[in-house]
Amino acid sequence: MNNAQNKWQREVVAYILLIIGSALFAVGDVMFVNPYLMAPGGTYGLSNVLNTVWPWKISLYAICMDIPLLLVGTWILGPKFGIKTIISTALIFVFTFVLESVWGYNPVIHDGEIASAASTSGMVQIPHDGGWFQPDYFLNTVVAGIIYGIAIGLIFRSGATSGGSDIISMILHKYTKISLGTLVMIVDSIITLTTLVAFGDIRLPIYSVIVIVIEGKVIDMVVDGVKTYKTMLIVTDNPESIREFIIKDIKRSGTCLTGTGLYQGNERKMIYVTLDRAGMVKLRSELRHLDPNAFVNIMNSSEILGHGFRALPTE
């Protein structure tokens, strides 16, 4: 009964995250990205360009690309796209459609009042509105990247995927030897370059790339958490003193392994331990006293599951 109830609660939380993430994505696109004529990848990035060049709603352009991509992706790649991805696609479409219908394409961040005519140089015209505004590119880019990152991070945490242009990358990955990450970067870069072709302003693809970089960092924080962990591999001849320090002073545990040195063939002990940044610094500093001849390898750990950290997934 408890397992069934916990599963139901997790699903409720997942769909709440999905709804919030989809709504935030629409906010970021309509209020921050589109007014500044940016296209930070994805079908909605391309839709922003099309929306400005050939006036039609962003949401309609995007859904006309998303549905065929989901169908083609399912046909070529198989049923990899779960119901949550389909729901996310539908929710983003609905939220974007409502927001652009009610709010329009007015910027939230601008340096000066929105005017009916351009009275100074450097002003940007609001798509389809006729108004003009003095842009604050840097602040808007930072905020847009943060909103996009939180939105997509919440969608990922709900168990959905972004879909859209990522499906193109997945299809290309199937028929080429190029890594999926590289293909995603290539596809998104091509989309960002459409702003240069459409508007002739070199700043637009650059700011779009900055949005993507900030977005990626924020996604990692939302999905993996803010806290940073380090994994230490310590090859030592004095494992007992290091073991006691880890257990008694840092109050963590680890694993002691036995290995053989390649050069002399001597048996060595290796301690495997994962710590937060503060614990890592404390142990690293103390090693000079515990074993000055120890060999230490310190690695970043993006996701730690198990006792003392995040719980293992139940399904």
Side-chain angles (χ1 to χ4, degrees):
M1 184 65 180
N2 287 335
N3 289 336
Q5 186 176 6
N6 291 336
K7 182 179 179 181
W8 179 82
Q9 289 175 345
R10 287 194 301 270
E11 284 299 303
V12 170
V13 171
Y15 279 102
I16 291 174
L17 294 177
L18 185 60
I19 293 171
I20 295 173
S22 300
L24 280 176
F25 185 93
V27 169
D29 191 69
V30 175
M31 294 183 172
F32 295 90
V33 170
N34 181 266
Y36 278 74
L37 308 181
M38 294 189 293
T43 54
Y44 278 83
L46 184 57
S47 297
N48 287 326
V49 177
L50 297 174
N51 163 264
T52 306
V53 177
W54 296 295
W56 201 32
K57 288 187 180 298
I58 302 169
S59 54
L60 296 178
Y61 272 122
I63 201 67
C64 287
M65 289 183 276
D66 283 339
I67 292 177
L69 283 173
L70 282 171
L71 293 174
V72 172
T74 302
W75 175 50
I76 295 177
L77 303 172
K80 290 187 176 182
F81 313 106
I83 185 64
K84 288 179 183 175
T85 296
I86 297 172
I87 292 174
S88 175
T89 301
L91 284 174
I92 292 174
F93 163 74
V94 171
F95 284 128
T96 304
F97 182 88
V98 171
L99 196 58
E100 60 187 338
S101 299
V102 175
W103 176 267
Y105 304 103
N106 299 311
V108 173
I109 295 175
H110 54 88
D111 186 11
E113 296 297 325
I114 296 175
S116 58
S119 57
T120 60
S121 61
M123 298 189 83
V124 174
Q125 187 174 19
I126 302 171
H128 322 322
D129 184 80
W132 296 75
F133 70 96
Q134 187 72 36
D136 186 342
Y137 281 104
F138 180 75
L139 179 59
N140 184 81
T141 299
V142 172
V143 175
I146 292 173
I147 292 175
Y148 261 21
I150 294 174
I152 298 176
L154 292 176
I155 290 172
F156 284 170
R157 288 201 64 169
S158 74
T161 59
S162 55
S165 63
D166 289 350
I167 299 175
I168 299 175
S169 303
M170 294 169 71
I171 293 173
L172 292 174
H173 175 66
K174 180 177 180 179
Y175 296 105
T176 67
K177 295 183 179 180
I178 304 174
S179 70
L180 185 58
T182 301
L183 287 169
V184 169
M185 290 176 59
I186 292 172
V187 172
D188 282 344
S189 297
I190 292 172
I191 292 173
T192 60
L193 287 174
T194 60
T195 58
L196 178 60
V197 176
F199 309 120
D201 190 340
I202 188 63
R203 293 176 300 177
L204 300 180
I206 294 174
Y207 280 119
S208 297
V209 170
I210 295 174
V211 170
I212 293 173
V213 172
I214 296 173
E215 170 192 328
K217 296 297 182 181
V218 176
I219 288 173
D220 289 341
M221 292 173 61
V222 173
V223 174
D224 298 327
V226 178
K227 199 167 187 179
T228 301
Y229 290 101
K230 302 285 187 178
T231 294
M232 302 180 69
L233 293 175
I234 307 167
V235 180
T236 177
D237 292 322
N238 192 13
E240 281 303 316
S241 59
I242 298 175
R243 172 184 174 275
E244 286 188 16
F245 183 81
I246 293 172
I247 294 174
K248 294 181 180 180
D249 292 77
I250 304 180
K251 302 191 185 310
R252 300 297 300 182
S253 185
T255 302
C256 187
L257 308 172
T258 301
T260 303
L262 291 180
Y263 184 67
Q264 294 181 332
N266 296 331
E267 187 177 282
R268 304 289 300 276
K269 294 293 184 180
M270 182 170 66
I271 295 174
Y272 172 93
V273 60
T274 298
L275 306 167
D276 58 20
R277 187 181 296 276
M280 179 275 295
V281 172
K282 191 174 181 180
L283 177 57
R284 185 181 62 186
S285 299
E286 191 63 22
L287 278 174
R288 71 186 68 179
H289 306 297
L290 297 174
D291 185 359
N293 297 317
F295 179 86
V296 186
N297 185 13
I298 303 175
M299 299 166 285
N300 291 321
S301 299
S302 61
E303 186 173 13
I304 309 298
L305 304 176
H307 180 69
F309 299 93
R310 288 175 54 192
L312 288 166
T314 56
E315 55 182 26

